[in-house]
Amino acid sequence: MTLNKSIAALTLLVLISGFLIYKVYIFPSAMSAANRNTENNTASYKVLESQNIIVGKDIDQGYYDIKALDSEAEFFGDKMHENAVLHARPFYLNAKMSIKGKFEFKPSEFKKAVKKNQQIIMKDPGHYVVGTEIPAGNYVLSRTSDKIGVFVDIRHGTKSGSLQTIQWDIDEKVKKPIEIELKKGYNVYIKKTGKDGYISNEGDLILEVNNQESN
Protein backbone atom coordinates (compact mmCIF):
# COMPACT_ATOMS: atom_id res chain seq x y z
CA MET A 1 0.00 0.00 0.00
CA THR A 2 1.43 3.38 -0.99
CA LEU A 3 1.87 6.23 1.47
CA ASN A 4 -1.03 8.21 -0.08
CA LYS A 5 -3.35 5.21 0.16
CA SER A 6 -2.31 4.64 3.77
CA ILE A 7 -3.05 8.27 4.63
CA ALA A 8 -6.41 8.08 2.85
CA ALA A 9 -7.36 4.88 4.68
CA LEU A 10 -6.33 6.35 8.04
CA THR A 11 -8.29 9.54 7.34
CA LEU A 12 -11.39 7.52 6.45
CA LEU A 13 -11.02 5.47 9.64
CA VAL A 14 -10.77 8.64 11.76
CA LEU A 15 -13.85 10.13 10.07
CA ILE A 16 -15.90 6.96 10.59
CA SER A 17 -14.78 6.69 14.22
CA GLY A 18 -15.62 10.33 14.81
CA PHE A 19 -19.08 9.90 13.28
CA LEU A 20 -19.81 6.83 15.43
CA ILE A 21 -18.68 8.61 18.60
CA TYR A 22 -20.88 11.59 17.70
CA LYS A 23 -23.86 9.37 16.88
CA VAL A 24 -23.60 7.12 19.93
CA TYR A 25 -22.37 9.49 22.64
CA ILE A 26 -22.65 13.16 21.71
CA PHE A 27 -25.79 13.49 19.57
CA PRO A 28 -28.05 11.44 21.89
CA SER A 29 -26.89 13.56 24.86
CA ALA A 30 -29.04 16.35 23.43
CA MET A 31 -31.99 14.16 24.45
CA SER A 32 -30.99 14.00 28.11
CA ALA A 33 -33.02 15.80 30.78
CA ALA A 34 -30.04 18.05 31.51
CA ASN A 35 -30.09 19.38 27.92
CA ARG A 36 -33.86 19.39 27.50
CA ASN A 37 -34.69 22.94 26.48
CA THR A 38 -36.07 24.86 23.52
CA GLU A 39 -32.64 25.85 22.19
CA ASN A 40 -31.27 22.28 22.14
CA ASN A 41 -34.42 20.68 20.75
CA THR A 42 -33.52 19.14 17.37
CA ALA A 43 -37.16 18.47 16.41
CA SER A 44 -38.66 20.04 13.28
CA TYR A 45 -42.25 20.83 12.34
CA LYS A 46 -44.10 18.10 10.43
CA VAL A 47 -47.63 17.11 9.49
CA LEU A 48 -47.89 13.38 8.84
CA GLU A 49 -50.72 10.99 8.02
CA SER A 50 -51.23 7.25 8.57
CA GLN A 51 -47.84 5.56 8.23
CA ASN A 52 -44.99 3.82 10.01
CA ILE A 53 -42.37 6.31 11.21
CA ILE A 54 -38.62 5.83 11.56
CA VAL A 55 -36.94 8.60 13.55
CA GLY A 56 -34.06 10.05 11.55
CA LYS A 57 -35.72 9.16 8.26
CA ASP A 58 -39.34 10.32 8.38
CA ILE A 59 -38.95 12.77 11.24
CA ASP A 60 -36.02 14.31 13.12
CA GLN A 61 -34.92 13.28 16.59
CA GLY A 62 -36.17 15.56 19.33
CA TYR A 63 -39.09 16.42 21.61
CA TYR A 64 -42.51 16.98 20.05
CA ASP A 65 -45.91 18.27 21.05
CA ILE A 66 -48.18 15.89 19.15
CA LYS A 67 -51.63 17.16 18.14
CA ALA A 68 -54.33 15.01 16.54
CA LEU A 69 -55.88 16.63 13.46
CA ASP A 70 -58.52 13.93 12.91
CA SER A 71 -61.55 13.10 15.07
CA GLU A 72 -60.31 9.54 15.61
CA ALA A 73 -56.55 9.32 15.38
CA GLU A 74 -54.11 6.89 16.93
CA PHE A 75 -50.50 7.48 17.92
CA PHE A 76 -48.45 4.43 18.83
CA GLY A 77 -51.48 2.69 20.34
CA ASP A 78 -52.93 5.77 22.07
CA LYS A 79 -56.29 6.85 20.64
CA MET A 80 -56.80 10.62 20.40
CA HIS A 81 -59.72 12.86 19.44
CA GLU A 82 -59.18 15.92 17.25
CA ASN A 83 -57.12 18.68 18.93
CA ALA A 84 -55.93 16.39 21.74
CA VAL A 85 -52.26 17.06 22.58
CA LEU A 86 -49.39 15.02 24.00
CA HIS A 87 -46.64 17.23 25.45
CA ALA A 88 -42.90 16.72 24.89
CA ARG A 89 -42.95 13.16 23.57
CA PRO A 90 -39.30 12.15 23.01
CA PHE A 91 -38.36 10.76 19.60
CA TYR A 92 -35.03 8.92 19.75
CA LEU A 93 -32.88 8.22 16.71
CA ASN A 94 -33.88 5.03 14.81
CA ALA A 95 -36.98 4.48 16.96
CA LYS A 96 -40.01 3.10 15.11
CA MET A 97 -43.68 3.94 15.69
CA SER A 98 -46.96 4.01 13.81
CA ILE A 99 -49.76 6.55 13.42
CA LYS A 100 -53.30 6.33 12.10
CA GLY A 101 -54.97 9.51 10.94
CA LYS A 102 -53.42 12.97 10.62
CA PHE A 103 -51.08 14.52 13.20
CA GLU A 104 -49.18 17.75 13.72
CA PHE A 105 -45.69 17.27 15.15
CA LYS A 106 -44.50 20.56 16.64
CA PRO A 107 -41.13 21.08 18.38
CA SER A 108 -41.79 21.34 22.11
CA GLU A 109 -41.16 24.56 23.97
CA PHE A 110 -40.41 23.94 27.60
CA LYS A 111 -42.33 26.68 29.37
CA LYS A 112 -43.04 26.77 33.08
CA ALA A 113 -46.41 25.32 34.06
CA VAL A 114 -49.18 27.77 34.88
CA LYS A 115 -49.21 28.79 38.54
CA LYS A 116 -52.20 30.29 40.34
CA ASN A 117 -51.66 31.27 43.95
CA GLN A 118 -50.05 28.16 45.46
CA GLN A 119 -51.24 25.77 42.76
CA ILE A 120 -49.42 24.43 39.69
CA ILE A 121 -51.91 23.65 36.89
CA MET A 122 -51.06 20.64 34.70
CA LYS A 123 -53.38 20.38 31.69
CA ASP A 124 -51.83 18.44 28.81
CA PRO A 125 -50.75 14.83 29.29
CA GLY A 126 -47.15 14.10 28.42
CA HIS A 127 -43.62 14.42 29.75
CA TYR A 128 -42.36 17.14 32.11
CA VAL A 129 -39.05 17.85 33.85
CA VAL A 130 -38.81 19.26 37.36
CA GLY A 131 -36.77 22.46 37.52
CA THR A 132 -37.59 23.34 33.92
CA GLU A 133 -41.39 23.24 33.67
CA ILE A 134 -42.37 22.33 37.23
CA PRO A 135 -40.68 24.01 40.22
CA ALA A 136 -38.99 21.59 42.61
CA GLY A 137 -40.82 21.13 45.87
CA ASN A 138 -43.26 19.14 47.95
CA TYR A 139 -46.82 18.96 46.67
CA VAL A 140 -50.25 17.52 47.25
CA LEU A 141 -51.65 16.07 44.02
CA SER A 142 -55.34 16.27 43.09
CA ARG A 143 -57.56 16.41 39.98
CA THR A 144 -60.35 18.79 39.05
CA SER A 145 -62.60 16.05 37.63
CA ASP A 146 -63.14 12.39 38.47
CA LYS A 147 -64.51 11.83 34.94
CA ILE A 148 -60.98 11.19 33.69
CA GLY A 149 -58.59 8.39 34.53
CA VAL A 150 -55.14 9.51 35.65
CA PHE A 151 -51.75 7.84 35.67
CA VAL A 152 -48.67 9.68 36.94
CA ASP A 153 -45.16 8.21 36.90
CA ILE A 154 -42.25 9.99 38.62
CA ARG A 155 -38.70 8.96 37.77
CA HIS A 156 -35.17 10.06 38.56
CA GLY A 157 -33.61 11.84 35.63
CA THR A 158 -30.62 9.49 35.30
CA LYS A 159 -31.73 6.25 36.99
CA SER A 160 -34.10 3.55 35.81
CA GLY A 161 -37.27 2.55 37.62
CA SER A 162 -40.16 4.54 39.05
CA LEU A 163 -39.82 6.51 42.27
CA GLN A 164 -43.59 6.87 42.65
CA THR A 165 -46.69 6.07 40.60
CA ILE A 166 -50.23 7.33 41.13
CA GLN A 167 -53.27 5.92 39.40
CA TRP A 168 -56.87 7.09 39.74
CA ASP A 169 -59.64 5.34 37.88
CA ILE A 170 -62.67 7.14 36.45
CA ASP A 171 -65.24 7.93 39.16
CA GLU A 172 -62.81 6.79 41.87
CA LYS A 173 -63.15 8.78 45.07
CA VAL A 174 -59.73 9.76 46.38
CA LYS A 175 -59.88 9.10 50.12
CA LYS A 176 -56.73 10.94 51.19
CA PRO A 177 -54.35 13.52 49.69
CA ILE A 178 -51.46 12.19 47.65
CA GLU A 179 -48.18 13.78 48.70
CA ILE A 180 -45.29 13.83 46.25
CA GLU A 181 -41.74 15.15 46.40
CA LEU A 182 -40.33 16.54 43.17
CA LYS A 183 -36.60 17.21 43.00
CA LYS A 184 -34.79 19.06 40.25
CA GLY A 185 -34.14 16.77 37.30
CA TYR A 186 -36.98 14.36 38.03
CA ASN A 187 -39.12 13.32 35.06
CA VAL A 188 -42.89 13.36 35.43
CA TYR A 189 -45.09 11.47 32.96
CA ILE A 190 -48.83 12.23 32.97
CA LYS A 191 -51.50 10.24 31.15
CA LYS A 192 -55.20 11.14 31.22
CA THR A 193 -57.95 9.11 29.59
CA GLY A 194 -61.69 9.59 29.18
CA LYS A 195 -64.45 7.01 29.54
CA ASP A 196 -64.07 6.11 25.86
CA GLY A 197 -60.42 5.17 26.41
CA TYR A 198 -59.09 8.11 24.37
CA ILE A 199 -56.32 10.41 25.58
CA SER A 200 -57.97 13.38 27.28
CA ASN A 201 -56.95 17.01 27.71
CA GLU A 202 -60.06 17.63 29.82
CA GLY A 203 -59.78 18.12 33.56
CA ASP A 204 -56.58 19.42 35.15
CA LEU A 205 -54.12 17.94 37.59
CA ILE A 206 -53.34 20.26 40.48
CA LEU A 207 -50.06 20.38 42.37
CA GLU A 208 -50.76 22.22 45.63
CA VAL A 209 -47.51 23.73 46.88
CA ASN A 210 -46.38 22.47 50.27
CA ASN A 211 -43.06 23.88 51.54
CA GLN A 212 -41.79 24.62 48.02
CA GLU A 213 -38.05 24.28 47.50
CA SER A 214 -35.98 26.81 45.64
CA ASN A 215 -34.98 25.95 42.04
Side-chain angles (χ1 to χ4, degrees), residues 9 26 44 64-65 78 105 121 124 150 176 184:
I26 300 175
S44 57
Y64 289 86
D65 289 348
D78 285 328
F105 295 85
I121 313 298
D124 291 331
V150 172
K176 63 179 181 179
K184 188 174 182 179

mmCIF file with all atom_site columns, all heavy atoms in Angstrom, residues 9 26 44 64-65 78 105 121 124 150 176 184:
data_model
loop_
_atom_site.group_PDB
_atom_site.id
_atom_site.type_symbol
_atom_site.label_atom_id
_atom_site.label_alt_id
_atom_site.label_comp_id
_atom_site.label_asym_id
_atom_site.label_entity_id
_atom_site.label_seq_id
_atom_site.pdbx_PDB_ins_code
_atom_site.Cartn_x
_atom_site.Cartn_y
_atom_site.Cartn_z
_atom_site.occupancy
_atom_site.B_iso_or_equiv
_atom_site.pdbx_formal_charge
_atom_site.auth_seq_id
_atom_site.auth_comp_id
_atom_site.auth_asym_id
_atom_site.auth_atom_id
_atom_site.pdbx_PDB_model_num
ATOM 1  N N   . ALA A 1 9   ? -6.673  5.896  3.877  1.00 0.00 ? 9   ALA A N   1
ATOM 2  C CA  . ALA A 1 9   ? -7.356  4.875  4.680  1.00 0.00 ? 9   ALA A CA  1
ATOM 3  C C   . ALA A 1 9   ? -7.453  5.313  6.139  1.00 0.00 ? 9   ALA A C   1
ATOM 4  O O   . ALA A 1 9   ? -8.483  5.132  6.801  1.00 0.00 ? 9   ALA A O   1
ATOM 5  C CB  . ALA A 1 9   ? -6.629  3.544  4.560  1.00 0.00 ? 9   ALA A CB  1
ATOM 6  N N   . ILE A 1 26  ? -22.447 11.711 21.647 1.00 0.00 ? 26  ILE A N   1
ATOM 7  C CA  . ILE A 1 26  ? -22.653 13.158 21.705 1.00 0.00 ? 26  ILE A CA  1
ATOM 8  C C   . ILE A 1 26  ? -24.051 13.543 21.273 1.00 0.00 ? 26  ILE A C   1
ATOM 9  O O   . ILE A 1 26  ? -24.768 14.229 21.993 1.00 0.00 ? 26  ILE A O   1
ATOM 10 C CB  . ILE A 1 26  ? -21.588 13.884 20.847 1.00 0.00 ? 26  ILE A CB  1
ATOM 11 C CG1 . ILE A 1 26  ? -20.186 13.561 21.376 1.00 0.00 ? 26  ILE A CG1 1
ATOM 12 C CG2 . ILE A 1 26  ? -21.847 15.387 20.856 1.00 0.00 ? 26  ILE A CG2 1
ATOM 13 C CD1 . ILE A 1 26  ? -19.074 14.139 20.521 1.00 0.00 ? 26  ILE A CD1 1
ATOM 14 N N   . SER A 1 44  ? -38.228 19.115 14.325 1.00 0.00 ? 44  SER A N   1
ATOM 15 C CA  . SER A 1 44  ? -38.657 20.036 13.279 1.00 0.00 ? 44  SER A CA  1
ATOM 16 C C   . SER A 1 44  ? -40.136 19.822 12.990 1.00 0.00 ? 44  SER A C   1
ATOM 17 O O   . SER A 1 44  ? -40.660 18.725 13.166 1.00 0.00 ? 44  SER A O   1
ATOM 18 C CB  . SER A 1 44  ? -37.841 19.820 11.996 1.00 0.00 ? 44  SER A CB  1
ATOM 19 O OG  . SER A 1 44  ? -37.940 18.483 11.553 1.00 0.00 ? 44  SER A OG  1
ATOM 20 N N   . TYR A 1 64  ? -41.388 16.467 20.831 1.00 0.00 ? 64  TYR A N   1
ATOM 21 C CA  . TYR A 1 64  ? -42.514 16.985 20.054 1.00 0.00 ? 64  TYR A CA  1
ATOM 22 C C   . TYR A 1 64  ? -43.774 17.112 20.897 1.00 0.00 ? 64  TYR A C   1
ATOM 23 O O   . TYR A 1 64  ? -44.064 16.255 21.747 1.00 0.00 ? 64  TYR A O   1
ATOM 24 C CB  . TYR A 1 64  ? -42.830 16.047 18.889 1.00 0.00 ? 64  TYR A CB  1
ATOM 25 C CG  . TYR A 1 64  ? -41.800 16.043 17.784 1.00 0.00 ? 64  TYR A CG  1
ATOM 26 C CD1 . TYR A 1 64  ? -40.681 15.223 17.852 1.00 0.00 ? 64  TYR A CD1 1
ATOM 27 C CD2 . TYR A 1 64  ? -41.943 16.865 16.667 1.00 0.00 ? 64  TYR A CD2 1
ATOM 28 C CE1 . TYR A 1 64  ? -39.737 15.214 16.832 1.00 0.00 ? 64  TYR A CE1 1
ATOM 29 C CE2 . TYR A 1 64  ? -41.005 16.860 15.645 1.00 0.00 ? 64  TYR A CE2 1
ATOM 30 C CZ  . TYR A 1 64  ? -39.904 16.035 15.735 1.00 0.00 ? 64  TYR A CZ  1
ATOM 31 O OH  . TYR A 1 64  ? -38.972 16.029 14.728 1.00 0.00 ? 64  TYR A OH  1
ATOM 32 N N   . ASP A 1 65  ? -44.521 18.184 20.627 1.00 0.00 ? 65  ASP A N   1
ATOM 33 C CA  . ASP A 1 65  ? -45.913 18.268 21.053 1.00 0.00 ? 65  ASP A CA  1
ATOM 34 C C   . ASP A 1 65  ? -46.737 17.699 19.910 1.00 0.00 ? 65  ASP A C   1
ATOM 35 O O   . ASP A 1 65  ? -46.692 18.223 18.784 1.00 0.00 ? 65  ASP A O   1
ATOM 36 C CB  . ASP A 1 65  ? -46.324 19.708 21.344 1.00 0.00 ? 65  ASP A CB  1
ATOM 37 C CG  . ASP A 1 65  ? -45.682 20.250 22.607 1.00 0.00 ? 65  ASP A CG  1
ATOM 38 O OD1 . ASP A 1 65  ? -45.102 19.455 23.373 1.00 0.00 ? 65  ASP A OD1 1
ATOM 39 O OD2 . ASP A 1 65  ? -45.744 21.470 22.823 1.00 0.00 ? 65  ASP A OD2 1
ATOM 40 N N   . ASP A 1 78  ? -52.080 4.845  21.311 1.00 0.00 ? 78  ASP A N   1
ATOM 41 C CA  . ASP A 1 78  ? -52.925 5.767  22.074 1.00 0.00 ? 78  ASP A CA  1
ATOM 42 C C   . ASP A 1 78  ? -53.946 6.422  21.153 1.00 0.00 ? 78  ASP A C   1
ATOM 43 O O   . ASP A 1 78  ? -53.577 7.088  20.183 1.00 0.00 ? 78  ASP A O   1
ATOM 44 C CB  . ASP A 1 78  ? -52.089 6.865  22.750 1.00 0.00 ? 78  ASP A CB  1
ATOM 45 C CG  . ASP A 1 78  ? -51.343 6.342  23.970 1.00 0.00 ? 78  ASP A CG  1
ATOM 46 O OD1 . ASP A 1 78  ? -51.866 5.427  24.633 1.00 0.00 ? 78  ASP A OD1 1
ATOM 47 O OD2 . ASP A 1 78  ? -50.244 6.850  24.250 1.00 0.00 ? 78  ASP A OD2 1
ATOM 48 N N   . PHE A 1 105 ? -46.843 17.467 14.282 1.00 0.00 ? 105 PHE A N   1
ATOM 49 C CA  . PHE A 1 105 ? -45.686 17.273 15.150 1.00 0.00 ? 105 PHE A CA  1
ATOM 50 C C   . PHE A 1 105 ? -44.972 18.617 15.267 1.00 0.00 ? 105 PHE A C   1
ATOM 51 O O   . PHE A 1 105 ? -44.357 19.087 14.307 1.00 0.00 ? 105 PHE A O   1
ATOM 52 C CB  . PHE A 1 105 ? -44.754 16.214 14.578 1.00 0.00 ? 105 PHE A CB  1
ATOM 53 C CG  . PHE A 1 105 ? -45.360 14.840 14.534 1.00 0.00 ? 105 PHE A CG  1
ATOM 54 C CD1 . PHE A 1 105 ? -46.144 14.452 13.458 1.00 0.00 ? 105 PHE A CD1 1
ATOM 55 C CD2 . PHE A 1 105 ? -45.163 13.942 15.563 1.00 0.00 ? 105 PHE A CD2 1
ATOM 56 C CE1 . PHE A 1 105 ? -46.714 13.189 13.408 1.00 0.00 ? 105 PHE A CE1 1
ATOM 57 C CE2 . PHE A 1 105 ? -45.726 12.667 15.524 1.00 0.00 ? 105 PHE A CE2 1
ATOM 58 C CZ  . PHE A 1 105 ? -46.507 12.296 14.447 1.00 0.00 ? 105 PHE A CZ  1
ATOM 59 N N   . ILE A 1 121 ? -50.853 24.225 37.714 1.00 0.00 ? 121 ILE A N   1
ATOM 60 C CA  . ILE A 1 121 ? -51.908 23.649 36.892 1.00 0.00 ? 121 ILE A CA  1
ATOM 61 C C   . ILE A 1 121 ? -51.279 22.826 35.765 1.00 0.00 ? 121 ILE A C   1
ATOM 62 O O   . ILE A 1 121 ? -50.546 23.355 34.937 1.00 0.00 ? 121 ILE A O   1
ATOM 63 C CB  . ILE A 1 121 ? -52.821 24.733 36.284 1.00 0.00 ? 121 ILE A CB  1
ATOM 64 C CG1 . ILE A 1 121 ? -53.238 25.758 37.352 1.00 0.00 ? 121 ILE A CG1 1
ATOM 65 C CG2 . ILE A 1 121 ? -54.031 24.099 35.608 1.00 0.00 ? 121 ILE A CG2 1
ATOM 66 C CD1 . ILE A 1 121 ? -54.040 25.190 38.479 1.00 0.00 ? 121 ILE A CD1 1
ATOM 67 N N   . ASP A 1 124 ? -52.084 19.415 29.873 1.00 0.00 ? 124 ASP A N   1
ATOM 68 C CA  . ASP A 1 124 ? -51.834 18.435 28.814 1.00 0.00 ? 124 ASP A CA  1
ATOM 69 C C   . ASP A 1 124 ? -51.098 17.211 29.352 1.00 0.00 ? 124 ASP A C   1
ATOM 70 O O   . ASP A 1 124 ? -50.126 17.339 30.101 1.00 0.00 ? 124 ASP A O   1
ATOM 71 C CB  . ASP A 1 124 ? -51.012 19.060 27.687 1.00 0.00 ? 124 ASP A CB  1
ATOM 72 C CG  . ASP A 1 124 ? -51.794 20.106 26.916 1.00 0.00 ? 124 ASP A CG  1
ATOM 73 O OD1 . ASP A 1 124 ? -53.033 19.979 26.854 1.00 0.00 ? 124 ASP A OD1 1
ATOM 74 O OD2 . ASP A 1 124 ? -51.166 21.041 26.384 1.00 0.00 ? 124 ASP A OD2 1
ATOM 75 N N   . VAL A 1 150 ? -56.452 8.855  35.538 1.00 0.00 ? 150 VAL A N   1
ATOM 76 C CA  . VAL A 1 150 ? -55.145 9.514  35.649 1.00 0.00 ? 150 VAL A CA  1
ATOM 77 C C   . VAL A 1 150 ? -54.066 8.498  36.004 1.00 0.00 ? 150 VAL A C   1
ATOM 78 O O   . VAL A 1 150 ? -54.263 7.642  36.869 1.00 0.00 ? 150 VAL A O   1
ATOM 79 C CB  . VAL A 1 150 ? -55.184 10.613 36.733 1.00 0.00 ? 150 VAL A CB  1
ATOM 80 C CG1 . VAL A 1 150 ? -53.787 11.162 36.991 1.00 0.00 ? 150 VAL A CG1 1
ATOM 81 C CG2 . VAL A 1 150 ? -56.122 11.736 36.322 1.00 0.00 ? 150 VAL A CG2 1
ATOM 82 N N   . LYS A 1 176 ? -57.681 10.110 50.458 1.00 0.00 ? 176 LYS A N   1
ATOM 83 C CA  . LYS A 1 176 ? -56.730 10.943 51.185 1.00 0.00 ? 176 LYS A CA  1
ATOM 84 C C   . LYS A 1 176 ? -55.800 11.633 50.207 1.00 0.00 ? 176 LYS A C   1
ATOM 85 O O   . LYS A 1 176 ? -55.573 11.142 49.094 1.00 0.00 ? 176 LYS A O   1
ATOM 86 C CB  . LYS A 1 176 ? -55.941 10.115 52.191 1.00 0.00 ? 176 LYS A CB  1
ATOM 87 C CG  . LYS A 1 176 ? -55.077 9.026  51.580 1.00 0.00 ? 176 LYS A CG  1
ATOM 88 C CD  . LYS A 1 176 ? -54.314 8.277  52.665 1.00 0.00 ? 176 LYS A CD  1
ATOM 89 C CE  . LYS A 1 176 ? -53.424 7.199  52.056 1.00 0.00 ? 176 LYS A CE  1
ATOM 90 N NZ  . LYS A 1 176 ? -52.655 6.471  53.103 1.00 0.00 ? 176 LYS A NZ  1
ATOM 91 N N   . LYS A 1 184 ? -35.286 18.581 41.533 1.00 0.00 ? 184 LYS A N   1
ATOM 92 C CA  . LYS A 1 184 ? -34.792 19.064 40.253 1.00 0.00 ? 184 LYS A CA  1
ATOM 93 C C   . LYS A 1 184 ? -34.199 17.922 39.440 1.00 0.00 ? 184 LYS A C   1
ATOM 94 O O   . LYS A 1 184 ? -33.385 17.138 39.932 1.00 0.00 ? 184 LYS A O   1
ATOM 95 C CB  . LYS A 1 184 ? -33.729 20.158 40.468 1.00 0.00 ? 184 LYS A CB  1
ATOM 96 C CG  . LYS A 1 184 ? -33.301 20.841 39.185 1.00 0.00 ? 184 LYS A CG  1
ATOM 97 C CD  . LYS A 1 184 ? -32.377 22.009 39.479 1.00 0.00 ? 184 LYS A CD  1
ATOM 98 C CE  . LYS A 1 184 ? -31.980 22.719 38.186 1.00 0.00 ? 184 LYS A CE  1
ATOM 99 N NZ  . LYS A 1 184 ? -31.089 23.877 38.446 1.00 0.00 ? 184 LYS A NZ  1
#
